[in-house]
Amino acid sequence: MSKQQRENTLIDLKGMTKSYTVNGQLFSVLPKINMTVSKSEMVAIMGPSGSGKSTLLFILGLFLSPTEGEYLFDGKNILTLNRGQQAQFRRERIGFVLQSADMFQHSTVYENVEYPLIYARSRPSERPERIHQVLQQVNLTNRMHHSSNKLSGGEKQRVAIARAMVNHPAVILADEPTGQLDADNSQQIMEYFRSISSTTDTAMVIVTHDPNVAEKCDTVLQICNGQLL
Amino acid sequence: MRPTDLFRISCIQVLRQYRKNIGVALTIILGTAGLIVVLTMGRSIEESICTDLELIGNATRITILFKQLPTTRYPVDKREFKQETIDGLKTIPGIDQVGVIAVRNGYVKVMYQNNISSFQMIAVDDLFWKVHNSSAQSGVLFDQEDLKQHSAVCVLGQRTAQELFGDLDVAGQFISVNNSIFQIVGVLDSISMSDKDRHIFLPITTAQDRISSVSPVNKIYIRCHSWDDVEHVIASIPVVVNSFQPNDEIEIFLPEEILARVKAIALGVKIFVQLALLATLLLGGIGIWNIMMMSVRSRTREIGLKKAIGAEDHDIFFQFLTESLVLSISATLMGFFLGWGGVTITASIIQNVPPKDLFWLSVVIGFSFSLILGIVAGLAPAIKASRMEVVNALRYE
Ligand SMILES: Nc1ncnc2c1ncn2[C@@H]1O[C@H](COP(=O)(O)OP(=O)(O)O)[C@@H](O)[C@H]1O
Ligand SMILES: [Mg+2]
């Protein structure tokens, strides 16, 4: 790896292993994965159901600690962070998008996007502009004060994307973000990802089944029997 | 999380989920209002109930009279209570009033215009009214001044007035009693002495001057200050009497059974009210706890999502705790207003001024209680929620 490459590397996984003990039996989901993601790179992870895609993404987001392996984020080992530091890492460095596009109940679109700012203790006076900005990027400023539960699936996913990027993360982790959307909406969501990645230099790790989605990314990683191809 | 954000979001969430919270809120509102009314007005209500009960039962009224002689008719019974004895009785602690009465055996002839009838007459002092909790149905009852002046005035029982006049509004009229003219000052109410509504009442001083064969004071009524005083007053009476005149001829009457019954009723009411209050507040607490516990389960994904976007454990912890507190405290505040309304209404019913200091004391107690309630009920769910692992929450469907 050249020096320039190293400086450009955001995520560097080495020998990442995750195993679960089920009924006293150890069985491994991810045996010794190596993987890198560069800054502003869009990576698609594909693979059959149960192959460990979500597990990998949870490890990347520090939601799950690996059994073994090394995880460098922006050159720093982040597996040694304590609980509070992990939360801070999630607040400041990553954005997370789920398949089900979960919205906060009894809240408006605006309030949904405000939550990450609240947890980051951002100044209240700075919030409206920032929220407006990210909602503009997913074309939802006109729905800002609508209840988020009344939106369509595609719109909810766009709110989720805006929510994931409101704190200027270095990477957005998306677990099958188009899994519950039709082809048109999937297409649209991928275009938003693409435009965000190019305008903000945010890296994306997108787990998907859909070849059309993967096609839009810079790199496609196949995960099969726990091996990256 | 900034405290202002925490507070704002908790208020908004509690408000928006009012459907879920309304039952608990109502329980707390009613519990608090009840607590305030009972704490503030309890003493007054109790006094009012006791007064009412006494009015009916005269539970704290002790009667002292002379034992009957086998030959009371002839010659006329001349035994009397001396003025010193009466004054001595007044000094017993726990005594409110001492009223005296003298009777005349047989009837008096009362005449109004051409209407002549016979009625029982009793000669009483002004304290007699107080001892019996009596008031005038119309006009007034004669007072200390009338006694002193030996005024020629009288008070009629209701049936007496009805039979003579066919009317109760007869104050100011003149009648003749055994050929002496008396002016009617008022008619007695019917509750306090229903057994004496066909009587005519004269001031004892005037009666002794003008009506023949009126006995000296031969009966004393004592009104004790409270039920608790009755026992030691009874014990003191023979001792006090003995220091002025022989006490072996007197007899003391006390409505013991009524007193016991009245005491039991009052105690029952008190216990019932307090138990009901306790139950209400407890239910409110369990309600909050249950709602918060259920919401930890139903909000598992929300908790996971919040942690995924960077919420720390203490953010989640304080969110749950604050929601619980906001719910219990806002319900308590509404309870204060309802309670104040209740106090005002109760006060106007029993015709009493609501004691302000007691009200504020009960507000403080109610507030502390709801603070404790909110914390206790919210604590376990808050801890449970804050400790939840992100993966488990995100994988939870
Ligand atoms: N907590 C767990 N305990 C045991 N096995 C688990 C646990 N979580 C996930 N697994 C297993 O790990 C495997 C990979 O799961 P997952 O990462 O969700 O796959 P994917 O997202 O590719 O469908 C599955 O076989 C799943 O059953
Ligand atoms: Mg998955």
Side-chain angles (χ1 to χ4, degrees):
Chain A
M1 209 187 272
S2 72
K3 187 170 181 252
Q4 199 205 335
Q5 258 180 318
R6 199 173 308 131
E7 274 181 359
N8 217 10
T9 303
L10 182 67
I11 291 173
D12 192 359
L13 289 189
K14 286 197 197 100
M16 188 56 68
T17 303
K18 180 70 196 175
S19 4
Y20 293 110
T21 348
V22 180
N23 299 333
Q25 261 196 320
L26 201 71
F27 93 104
S28 88
V29 182
L30 301 170
K32 292 201 189 299
I33 295 257
N34 297 314
M35 169 185 167
T36 57
V37 178
S38 306
K39 290 171 182 165
S40 81
E41 186 185 13
M42 269 180 87
V43 178
I45 296 176
M46 295 190 71
S49 196
S51 56
K53 304 183 297 294
S54 297
T55 304
L56 180 57
L57 215 55
F58 287 156
I59 288 174
L60 288 178
L62 297 187
F63 303 142
L64 200 59
S65 47
T67 317
E68 225 177 280
E70 205 177 304
Y71 180 2
L72 298 180
F73 193 97
D74 218 0
K76 279 184 281 285
N77 177 14
I78 54 165
L79 290 180
T80 53
L81 299 182
N82 65 28
R83 234 175 130 89
Q85 291 167 326
Q86 286 178 357
Q88 187 186 7
F89 168 78
R90 288 196 284 265
R91 271 197 307 269
E92 293 173 357
R93 307 298 279 159
I94 64 167
F96 205 80
V97 177
L98 291 162
Q99 174 175 4
S100 45
D102 290 49
M103 297 285 105
F104 291 117
Q105 302 290 305
H106 314 281
S107 301
T108 64
V109 169
Y110 182 95
E111 288 163 346
N112 263 276
V113 182
E114 190 186 11
Y115 268 104
L117 296 172
I118 287 172
Y119 291 129
R121 275 168 243 252
S122 94
R123 263 202 235 122
S125 58
E126 290 166 357
R127 293 178 197 165
E129 197 191 331
R130 180 67 192 141
I131 294 168
H132 204 268
Q133 215 174 9
V134 290
L135 283 177
Q136 201 150 34
Q137 262 171 312
V138 293
N139 229 336
L140 273 176
T141 40
N142 56 332
R143 311 299 295 271
M144 195 139 76
H145 298 294
H146 288 211
S147 164
S148 57
N149 275 1
K150 295 202 179 100
L151 301 177
S152 73
E155 286 168 331
K156 279 186 187 171
Q157 203 54 284
R158 279 147 66 194
V159 176
I161 292 169
R163 189 173 61 195
M165 60 182 286
V166 73
N167 271 334
H168 304 286
V171 60
I172 289 179
L173 307 174
D175 195 353
E176 309 196 33
T178 62
Q180 288 176 356
L181 303 179
D182 58 26
D184 281 355
N185 272 307
S186 301
Q187 171 92 6
Q188 207 190 17
I189 291 293
M190 285 316 290
E191 275 159 23
Y192 284 120
F193 274 126
R194 178 54 56 200
S195 86
I196 288 163
S197 153
S198 60
T199 55
T200 64
D201 273 356
T202 311
M204 310 271 171
V205 179
I206 300 170
V207 166
T208 183
H209 293 308
D210 187 349
N212 295 323
V213 168
E215 191 175 72
K216 297 272 183 341
C217 299
D218 306 320
T219 317
V220 180
L221 299 175
Q222 292 281 347
I223 188 167
C224 196
N225 298 327
Q227 293 300 329
L228 274 180
L229 302 174
Chain B
M1 205 169 182
R2 288 160 186 269
T4 45
D5 281 325
L6 179 67
F7 183 66
R8 182 175 57 95
I9 291 176
S10 300
C11 289
I12 290 176
Q13 287 301 320
V14 168
L15 213 62
R16 287 196 188 146
Q17 296 175 48
Y18 72 93
R19 264 173 229 278
K20 190 184 78 183
N21 296 330
I22 193 86
V24 177
L26 273 178
T27 317
I28 298 175
I29 291 173
L30 293 178
T32 313
L35 183 86
I36 285 177
V37 172
V38 171
L39 282 184
T40 311
M41 301 303 292
R43 190 76 211 139
S44 313
I45 292 174
E46 211 179 291
E47 272 167 16
S48 166
I49 289 180
C50 295
T51 314
D52 287 350
L53 286 173
E54 270 180 35
L55 208 64
I56 299 163
N58 274 315
T60 61
R61 194 184 65 202
I62 299 167
T63 311
I64 312 172
L65 41 70
F66 292 103
K67 285 184 185 138
Q68 287 238 291
L69 296 175
T71 53
T72 42
R73 248 169 215 282
Y74 300 105
V76 175
D77 186 2
K78 287 287 185 200
R79 291 174 299 177
E80 66 167 323
F81 287 104
K82 295 185 186 159
Q83 188 58 41
E84 301 91 86
T85 311
I86 295 162
D87 292 340
L89 287 172
K90 285 179 183 167
T91 64
I92 299 177
I95 284 189
D96 253 5
Q97 310 287 351
V98 177
V100 299
I101 174 171
V103 292
R104 179 183 184 278
N105 292 309
Y107 289 80
V108 290
K109 199 166 58 172
V110 178
M111 188 165 74
Y112 174 69
Q113 290 171 354
N114 297 327
N115 200 346
I116 306 177
S117 305
S118 290
F119 295 98
Q120 287 222 312
M121 185 220 77
I122 45 181
V124 303
D125 66 356
D126 56 306
L127 293 174
F128 176 84
W129 310 125
K130 296 203 173 113
V131 172
H132 288 80
N133 245 324
S134 304
S135 56
Q137 150 93 34
S138 68
V140 294
L141 303 173
F142 51 73
D143 58 16
Q144 202 180 359
E145 197 55 28
D146 293 316
L147 264 293
K148 226 195 246 165
Q149 301 291 330
H150 297 228
S151 312
V153 293
C154 66
V155 167
L156 303 186
Q158 284 200 5
R159 272 184 60 199
T160 315
Q162 277 292 354
E163 284 179 27
L164 279 174
F165 295 91
D167 187 11
L168 293 181
D169 208 10
V170 296
Q173 304 279 9
F174 289 90
I175 51 173
S176 109
V177 179
N178 278 7
N179 300 322
S180 267
I181 303 296
F182 285 82
Q183 185 174 28
I184 302 169
V185 288
V187 175
L188 198 65
D189 69 335
S190 55
I191 337 164
S192 54
M193 275 179 284
S194 49
D195 60 327
K196 294 189 176 63
D197 68 344
R198 212 180 165 283
H199 279 56
I200 172 167
F201 300 85
L202 304 183
I204 194 164
T205 48
T206 323
Q208 280 164 345
D209 294 347
R210 302 206 186 182
I211 312 289
S212 59
S213 72
V214 168
S215 72
V217 172
N218 58 6
K219 207 169 182 181
I220 297 177
Y221 292 105
I222 291 174
R223 163 80 59 183
C224 297
H225 185 67
S226 75
W227 306 336
D228 305 325
D229 295 316
V230 172
E231 205 176 317
H232 75 254
V233 168
I234 293 259
S236 311
I237 288 172
V239 184
V240 173
V241 170
N242 198 35
S243 51
F244 302 102
Q245 62 189 83
N247 70 0
D248 51 348
E249 285 203 312
I250 62 164
E251 234 174 338
I252 301 171
F253 285 105
L254 165 81
E256 267 175 86
E257 259 175 54
I258 296 174
L259 181 62
R261 186 81 59 90
V262 164
K263 271 183 174 170
I265 293 172
L267 188 69
V269 168
K270 212 164 161 178
I271 289 175
F272 173 78
V273 166
Q274 276 167 10
L275 278 181
L277 264 181
L278 200 70
T280 315
L281 287 166
L282 227 71
L283 277 180
I286 293 172
I288 297 192
W289 183 76
N290 189 36
I291 277 201
M292 296 314 282
M293 261 322 193
M294 262 169 33
S295 68
V296 172
R297 225 167 298 130
S298 68
R299 290 163 71 179
T300 299
R301 268 192 85 81
E302 178 198 323
I303 296 165
L305 197 60
K306 284 186 169 161
K307 290 196 166 181
I309 63 171
E312 294 195 22
D313 292 354
H314 60 80
D315 289 327
I316 304 292
F317 172 81
F318 284 117
Q319 179 205 329
F320 271 77
L321 195 62
T322 313
E323 278 183 27
S324 161
L325 277 173
V326 165
L327 182 60
S328 69
I329 289 178
S330 59
T332 305
L333 288 178
M334 286 187 254
F336 289 162
F337 286 104
L338 194 68
W340 177 244
V343 165
T344 316
I345 292 171
T346 315
S348 79
I349 288 175
I350 64 173
Q351 285 161 11
N352 207 328
V353 185
K356 283 250 165 43
D357 48 342
L358 267 181
F359 174 75
W360 288 114
L361 179 71
S362 70
V363 164
V364 170
I365 291 175
F367 195 76
S368 327
F369 199 88
S370 88
L371 210 66
I372 293 169
L373 196 74
I375 291 176
V376 168
L379 204 59
I383 291 174
K384 198 177 163 196
S386 71
R387 291 214 179 131
M388 200 173 276
E389 290 297 330
V390 188
V391 203
N392 300 340
L394 286 183
R395 285 203 193 263
Y396 182 94
E397 292 302 332

